[in-house]
Amino acid sequence: MHASIRSRLNRRRLLPVLLVLVAVVIAGLLIALRPTPPESTPEEKAWPIQTTVIEPASRSPQIRLLGRVETPFRSTLSAAVTADVARLVHLEGQHVKRDDIILELEDDEVSLLVDQRQADLAELESQIAQERNQYDADRQLLDREKSLVALAQRALDREQRLSESNLNSQTRLDQAREALQAAEISLVNRQLAVANHDSRLKSLKAKLDRANALLAQAGLDLGRTRIHAPFDGIITEIDVSPGERVRPGEALVSLYASDDLEVRAQIPMNRIPTIQQALANDRALTATTRLGGVSRQLHLTRLSGQVNTGAGGVDGLFRFTDNAPDAALNRTLDMTLELPAEPGLFSVPVAALYDEHTLYRVQDGRLEALDVQVMGDRFEQDRQFLLVRSDRLRDGDRILATQLPNAISGLKVSVMDGATDHG
């Protein structure tokens, strides 16, 4: 009985083992009998790109510049006399025409000085008239003085003869000599007065000229109590107020010429030789800017004669081609300068350039790297393009126009619809 029980227990233990063995055999048969999948060769990926078709042409490189409005005609008017400010005719920011009165000074003190100078002049004119009358009188009296000397000489001779005959006294002889000497002295004085007439007249005329000059100066000072605009312009500053006392040299008002505006902009140093050559050949270099919503054209008139410390270029001075616009001094302007045209340049988008000198041409569905020389920029319809030159570029070439992080010669690409053409 015990043997029967032990036999049943052994069968129960062998049953799980048999089940595991059967499962393993079935799994092995399934693996062995499974179908073998067909082998496939992986396809090369084609990268989608945008392209542009290019063509050579004579094109003008452009430079974007930042300009500042200024003028060579900017004046600070100062006082020429000591006076009180009477009134302000114009104020800061107002337009004035040439010779318009900007402000007035009290003229009472200067008017008194003018009156004094006129009196000095009248006095000298009177002295000159007196001198001329005196000269006429001296010339007439000179002949009489000579006659008196001759009479005194004859009287002395007569007294000397009488004295030799002991017919008169020594006193009468001395009196005759004294009369002769007095007549001679009077004659010498009269001759001296006549001889010095020219010198005295020149001295008086010199004083008269000085008096005239002082009167003219006083007249100028009187006119300078009215401060006039030296040109058509805009007032930028008023430094005084009514009732304030000013002295010669003190600043009164500042203004600039509104019709003589210039725009100063720094031009990169690498472009200076080209611009200097163009100016030397009298070639017009134009620039454009927008002012008040309107496109305005300027032309480069000259280059600055110095390079400012720390600057990366030379300042160019531009003038508006048409009448100068109404622009505040020191206003900044975005400008685009047109350089001389160069033949055989290709225009490509900025995104087409790799490593500052490489373009990729699409040839038979693959990229081909080309070294190019960048000649400048071009701005059209608010977009920036690069002007390049290369002997390997041809008319009608299709150039990669998008940035690929893995761009390399031989890379397979697929040109997407909507590729742009740009000449």
Side-chain angles (χ1 to χ4, degrees):
M1 182 174 180
H2 288 291
S4 175
I5 293 172
R6 188 178 299 112
S7 174
R8 287 197 300 272
L9 291 174
N10 289 334
R11 285 197 299 272
R12 290 176 180 174
R13 290 172 180 157
L14 290 174
L15 182 60
V17 175
L18 291 175
L19 292 174
V20 171
L21 291 175
V22 171
V24 170
V25 171
I26 293 172
L29 291 173
L30 291 174
I31 292 173
L33 296 175
R34 68 179 179 178
T36 302
E39 294 185 359
S40 61
T41 303
E43 294 184 4
E44 183 180 5
K45 180 180 179 179
W47 295 85
I49 62 170
Q50 290 278 355
T51 63
T52 181
V53 178
I54 62 173
E55 64 179 8
S58 178
R59 293 182 169 94
S60 299
Q62 296 175 327
I63 310 176
R64 296 290 291 270
L65 303 174
L66 185 63
R68 186 181 74 254
V69 179
E70 60 179 44
T71 175
F73 299 99
R74 186 175 184 177
S75 299
T76 298
L77 309 181
S78 58
V81 297
T82 299
D84 297 330
V85 178
R87 70 187 184 102
L88 302 179
V89 181
H90 290 89
L91 299 177
E92 179 180 348
Q94 290 184 329
H95 290 256
V96 291
K97 295 292 185 180
R98 180 184 176 91
D99 294 329
D100 282 354
I101 296 177
I102 301 176
L103 61 85
E104 295 179 351
L105 304 177
E106 297 288 354
D107 60 1
D108 295 343
E109 298 178 35
V110 184
S111 295
L112 290 175
L113 183 60
V114 170
D115 294 340
Q116 178 184 337
R117 299 305 185 194
Q118 288 176 337
D120 293 341
L121 182 63
E123 181 181 0
L124 284 168
E125 289 175 343
S126 176
Q127 291 178 4
I128 289 175
Q130 292 176 11
E131 173 59 31
R132 286 173 175 162
N133 292 335
Q134 183 64 48
Y135 174 68
D136 292 339
D138 286 339
R139 289 181 60 187
Q140 294 176 7
L141 292 174
L142 181 60
D143 293 336
R144 297 185 181 184
E145 295 286 353
K146 292 179 179 179
S147 298
L148 290 176
V149 170
L151 290 174
Q153 182 64 53
R154 288 195 294 271
L156 177 60
D157 293 342
R158 186 170 56 254
E159 292 298 330
Q160 284 179 341
R161 289 194 299 272
L162 292 174
S163 176
E164 292 174 357
S165 302
N166 294 322
L167 296 177
N168 69 340
S169 62
Q170 183 65 36
T171 300
R172 289 178 60 86
L173 181 61
D174 292 339
Q175 289 176 347
R177 287 195 180 98
E178 184 178 349
L180 176 59
Q181 290 176 358
E184 290 175 343
I185 291 173
S186 179
L187 175 60
V188 170
N189 287 334
R190 193 69 63 185
Q191 289 173 334
L192 181 62
V194 172
N196 288 339
H197 165 72
D198 289 340
S199 298
R200 290 193 304 272
L201 189 60
K202 287 180 180 179
S203 176
L204 289 172
K205 286 183 176 180
K207 292 180 180 179
L208 181 67
D209 291 342
R210 184 173 183 274
N212 273 315
L214 291 175
L215 177 60
Q217 180 65 54
L220 288 176
D221 289 343
L222 183 61
R224 288 169 179 168
T225 58
R226 305 292 184 267
I227 307 302
H228 297 267
F231 41 66
D232 295 351
I234 299 175
I235 299 173
T236 58
E237 189 174 3
I238 299 289
D239 297 305
V240 293
S241 299
E244 185 175 348
R245 191 163 183 81
V246 296
R247 292 171 176 77
E250 291 188 15
L252 301 176
V253 59
S254 298
L255 72 163
Y256 69 90
S258 56
D259 294 335
D260 288 287
L261 295 181
E262 291 185 334
V263 178
R264 179 184 294 268
Q266 186 178 114
I267 300 173
M269 194 65 73
N270 63 332
R271 295 295 187 179
I272 295 301
T274 301
I275 292 176
Q276 287 177 330
Q277 184 65 37
L279 292 176
N281 295 333
D282 294 329
R283 295 183 62 181
L285 297 178
T286 60
T288 56
T289 186
R290 294 194 66 83
L291 192 59
V294 178
S295 178
R296 301 299 298 260
Q297 191 174 71
L298 306 95
H299 63 277
L300 179 64
T301 59
R302 64 193 187 280
L303 295 175
S304 174
Q306 64 177 3
V307 178
N308 297 325
T309 303
V314 178
D315 288 348
L317 284 305
F318 297 80
R319 280 187 174 268
F320 290 94
T321 302
D322 299 326
N323 294 332
D326 186 9
L329 213 59
N330 295 321
R331 176 174 178 172
T332 57
L333 298 176
D334 289 322
M335 304 167 54
T336 302
L337 174 61
E338 196 98 358
L339 297 178
E342 300 184 30
L345 296 185
F346 295 88
S347 178
V348 299
V350 175
L353 188 69
Y354 288 76
D355 300 329
E356 298 183 355
H357 58 79
T358 302
L359 293 181
Y360 286 97
R361 177 168 54 197
V362 179
Q363 192 79 20
D364 299 328
R366 295 186 181 275
L367 298 183
E368 178 186 4
L370 302 174
D371 285 337
V372 297
Q373 182 182 5
V374 179
M375 304 304 297
D377 301 314
R378 184 87 189 164
F379 303 91
E380 298 176 2
Q381 299 177 349
D382 296 329
R383 293 181 59 195
Q384 181 180 0
F385 296 89
L386 298 177
L387 300 182
V388 300
R389 173 179 287 144
S390 175
D391 294 337
R392 299 179 62 187
L393 287 175
R394 296 291 181 268
D395 184 10
D397 280 348
R398 189 172 290 275
I399 300 299
L400 172 64
T402 54
Q403 285 285 318
L404 292 178
N406 57 341
I408 190 173
S409 286
L411 181 68
K412 187 176 182 180
V413 293
S414 173
V415 178
M416 298 176 59
D417 293 337
T420 58
D421 292 346
H422 184 77

